Amino acid sequence: MTAARSRKARRTVKTELIERLAAIVGDKGLILDRADMLAYLEEPRGLYHGAARCVVRPSTVDETAAVIRLCNDYRVAVVPQGGNTGLVGGQTPDESGEQVLLSLQRMNAIREIDVGSDTMTVEAGVTLARAQDAAASVDRYFPLSYASEGSATIGGALSTNAGGIHVLAYGSAGDFALGIEVALADGRILSGLSKLRKDNTGYHLTRLFIGAEGTLGVVTAATLKLFPSPRAHATAFVALDDPEKALEFLHLAKRELGPSLHAFELIPRIGVDLVLRSGVGARAPFSDHHPWHVLLETSVFDGTPPEETMFAMLSKALESGLARDAAVAASLDQRAAFWRIRELLPEAQKHEGGSIKHDVSLPLQKIPQFLAEAAAGVECCIPGARPVPFGHLGDGNIHYNVTQPPGADRDAFLSRRAELNEAVHAIVLLHGGSISAEHGVGRLKRELLEQVKDPVSLGVMRSIKSVLDPNFIMNPGKVLTAR
Ligand SMILES: Cc1cc2nc3c(=O)[nH]c(=O)nc-3n(C[C@H](O)[C@H](O)[C@H](O)COP(=O)(O)OP(=O)(O)OC[C@H]3O[C@@H](n4cnc5c(N)ncnc54)[C@H](O)[C@@H]3O)c2cc1C
């Protein structure tokens, strides 16, 4: 075939695929215009800029399955996307313009709330905030919560096994999924929407799709656990000398507060300073300056005033010299003001120029040593760069963000990302930690995963992928490098 004839044949196949997709999802479900596609092709950190053949927006599981079956027949790659808030580029198509972006946003029904079973069955495109509201409407609690919850979807959260601020008490996204419905790469529908809390009938298929980042199939719905609604909270901001004391304080808080402790966040002084000077309207928690802080919160389910146990625990921490100072929120406004400092940290860093970020986890005991060694490693690599390590200390998960030296050139700093990543990750691995705690692997860490994951585990992952997706159409080049 001549080059011109083969180009024409490719064009005909492309047109045919689009026509057949349109026949499945209708006009409302297909975006072809490049300007209209843009919002789906850029991701929050601006690291990847994708292109796509089209954006397909099915509204039912049957439509979703038909779209995937068709793409499989044509050997065209499918990139699933929920709220497009992922931080590792997993939801962004590559630059070829050949891939199909499959948005789950129209699959947003709350199919059932079964109060008697404490479960809720929702479609993949339901946002976390809506799932929380739906649970609250029947006096139940859905605890999965993080700053992007207004846009992040249940499908995306399960596919990244997202964490957030309540993992300490309730677990990560995957821990809420009792059952799951998935459209597989060959178009079959795996209907596993079980409400069972115990079901040991062979391999745990639901778990297989948790954290798979769209590489094994498309999650279309899930049955999620619901919990009793907390009646009240006690929230405290605590000042401490160093991470060693913060860790000891964590053990004290767990001992004294038991399962009511649901959040325990580490914040360095530089983090508070950055938030205060970024002009976003946050208030200083203390009049004095302190080197480190912890934001912690408890919930109670009966009429007990929650502040009582919090005060008793904080008195012990202050008397034993573990804590330098402590403030307990006296109102809902003050509680929100405390959380504002934590939530605005990533935003505040933007005002200081470029930041290079790491989402790592370590055995709890190793965190103080990691923080000291990583700070020394950063200084050695880029003198003057400012580590802003913060996050879910209660889960052993630190967002080890490094902000550029004051006044440095942003692009020159960011061009050293690989070098800095290597220095920080080497320390993480030395202490038995993970290079991705809660954000996933996506495109950002796929090469790194090849280097650090045990070869047998990687081999098993590839075997599973090749059985479920033999034509490699499901989000290729994410998590695992291409075949
Ligand atoms: C401001 C901010 C704060 C954040 N805080 C946290 C935090 O505290 N903890 C935390 O864990 N994460 C956090 N994240 C990142 C988190 O991963 C995402 O917010 C969210 O979980 C992804 O959901 P999404 O619907 O946006 O998925 P997307 O970003 O659209 O997709 C993420 C991945 O899942 C895949 N995917 C999406 N939907 C499906 C589906 N239905 N079936 C199969 N695959 C699918 C995509 O292909 C991609 O690989 C934060 C992000 C932002 C922007």
Side-chain angles (χ1 to χ4, degrees):
M1 202 189 294
T2 63
R5 278 181 67 189
S6 97
R7 264 200 308 277
K8 191 172 168 213
R10 275 205 302 272
R11 256 201 315 275
T12 312
V13 167
K14 268 188 186 176
T15 319
E16 194 181 278
L17 174 67
I18 296 289
E19 281 168 5
R20 294 183 66 184
L21 286 171
I24 297 169
V25 295
D27 287 348
K28 261 169 79 179
L30 194 61
I31 303 176
L32 295 168
D33 184 79
R34 190 161 161 76
D36 295 340
M37 281 195 244
L38 263 186
Y40 299 86
L41 303 177
E42 305 282 328
E43 44 80 37
R45 288 197 173 154
L47 294 176
Y48 302 107
H49 309 277
R53 219 177 254 252
C54 59
V55 173
V56 190
R57 303 170 75 237
S59 62
T60 65
V61 59
D62 290 332
E63 284 183 11
T64 307
V67 166
I68 301 173
R69 187 180 305 115
L70 187 65
C71 290
N72 193 36
D73 290 345
Y74 281 80
R75 305 291 190 264
V76 167
V78 176
V79 181
Q81 189 180 94
N84 192 13
T85 68
L87 297 174
V88 289
Q91 72 279 22
T92 312
D94 67 15
E95 295 77 17
S96 67
E98 296 292 323
Q99 302 187 326
V100 167
L101 192 143
L102 177 68
S103 166
L104 277 299
Q105 281 173 341
R106 288 177 73 217
M107 281 214 57
N108 59 9
I110 294 186
R111 289 195 192 158
E112 186 197 20
I113 302 184
D114 181 347
V115 181
S117 303
D118 276 330
T119 63
M120 165 170 80
T121 299
V122 304
E123 291 188 339
V126 169
T127 63
L128 265 48
R130 223 178 119 222
Q132 294 160 5
D133 289 347
S137 73
V138 292
D139 193 23
R140 293 292 186 276
Y141 182 51
F142 180 64
L144 192 61
S145 174
Y146 38 84
S148 56
E149 65 196 20
S151 307
T153 63
I154 293 297
L158 293 175
S159 300
T160 55
N161 196 17
I165 53 175
H166 298 144
V167 176
L168 187 57
Y170 296 98
S172 298
D175 296 313
F176 300 114
L178 292 171
I180 202 164
E181 179 188 81
V182 182
L184 298 171
D186 60 6
R188 282 179 300 162
I189 298 168
L190 179 77
S191 301
L193 291 174
S194 162
K195 295 178 183 175
L196 301 178
R197 281 151 207 271
K198 286 189 160 185
D199 179 13
N200 285 348
T201 50
Y203 307 139
H204 204 304
L205 297 182
T206 295
R207 206 69 215 185
L208 195 56
F209 296 91
I210 306 297
E213 299 184 46
T215 60
L216 299 180
V218 175
V219 177
T220 49
T223 300
L224 305 165
K225 285 182 199 169
L226 297 178
F227 297 82
S229 296
R231 297 292 160 218
H233 300 289
T235 311
F237 222 92
V238 177
L240 309 107
D241 286 325
D242 50 45
E244 283 82 1
K245 292 255 170 75
L247 189 58
E248 267 187 73
F249 178 52
L250 170 65
H251 291 307
L252 173 77
K254 280 195 205 171
R255 216 169 40 241
E256 299 288 319
L257 303 170
S260 73
L261 177 67
H262 67 243
F264 195 96
E265 301 284 310
L266 183 70
I267 306 173
R269 172 174 168 176
I270 183 174
V272 175
D273 289 349
L274 293 186
V275 172
L276 295 179
R277 80 167 175 254
S278 66
V280 286
R283 288 195 300 271
F286 302 107
S287 47
D288 292 335
H289 286 289
H290 301 284
W292 289 88
H293 303 89
V294 161
L295 171 60
L296 74 157
E297 191 166 270
T298 61
S299 33
V300 293
F301 298 86
D302 55 17
T304 325
E307 295 82 7
E308 277 181 16
T309 35
M310 181 68 96
F311 278 130
M313 186 278 291
L314 289 175
S315 302
K316 287 189 184 170
L318 289 163
E319 281 161 20
S320 64
L322 266 187
R324 292 160 65 118
D325 203 350
V328 177
S331 64
L332 286 177
D333 271 359
Q334 203 176 3
R335 177 186 179 215
F338 284 175
W339 276 107
R340 235 172 116 67
I341 295 175
R342 163 65 183 86
E343 278 157 10
L344 289 171
L345 261 161
E347 184 60 32
Q349 280 183 279
K350 289 187 189 156
H351 296 258
E352 298 288 316
S355 289
I356 297 175
K357 305 187 174 187
H358 311 82
D359 164 42
V360 301
S361 64
L362 291 110
L364 281 179
Q365 190 62 19
K366 298 284 185 182
I367 286 189
Q369 198 179 343
F370 160 72
L371 289 172
E373 291 174 7
V378 167
E379 181 59 24
C380 177
C381 195
I382 309 178
R386 293 166 289 171
V388 188
F390 66 93
H392 321 298
L393 179 62
D395 315 326
N397 174 195
I398 299 292
H399 296 307
Y400 199 84
N401 292 2
V402 182
T403 295
Q404 68 173 66
D409 180 78
R410 183 176 186 274
D411 292 340
F413 172 73
L414 293 179
S415 71
R416 316 252 330 248
R417 177 178 283 116
E419 206 184 324
L420 196 70
N421 286 168
E422 199 181 326
V424 172
H425 288 146
I427 302 165
V428 170
L429 294 169
L430 188 73
H431 293 301
S434 168
I435 50 105
S436 181
E438 61 174 9
H439 294 162
V441 176
R443 190 164 156 186
L444 187 68
K445 295 183 180 172
R446 65 183 180 192
E447 279 83 13
L448 183 59
L449 190 76
E450 294 271 328
Q451 295 161 26
V452 305
K453 192 105 179 161
D454 132 72
V456 177
S457 305
L458 263 183
V460 173
M461 284 167 68
R462 286 195 187 282
S463 303
I464 294 170
K465 169 84 175 163
S466 65
V467 169
L468 286 180
D469 181 21
N471 297 320
F472 225 71
I473 62 144
M474 288 308 315
N475 216 359
K478 312 293 169 53
V479 183
L480 295 168
T481 49
R483 276 190 286 200

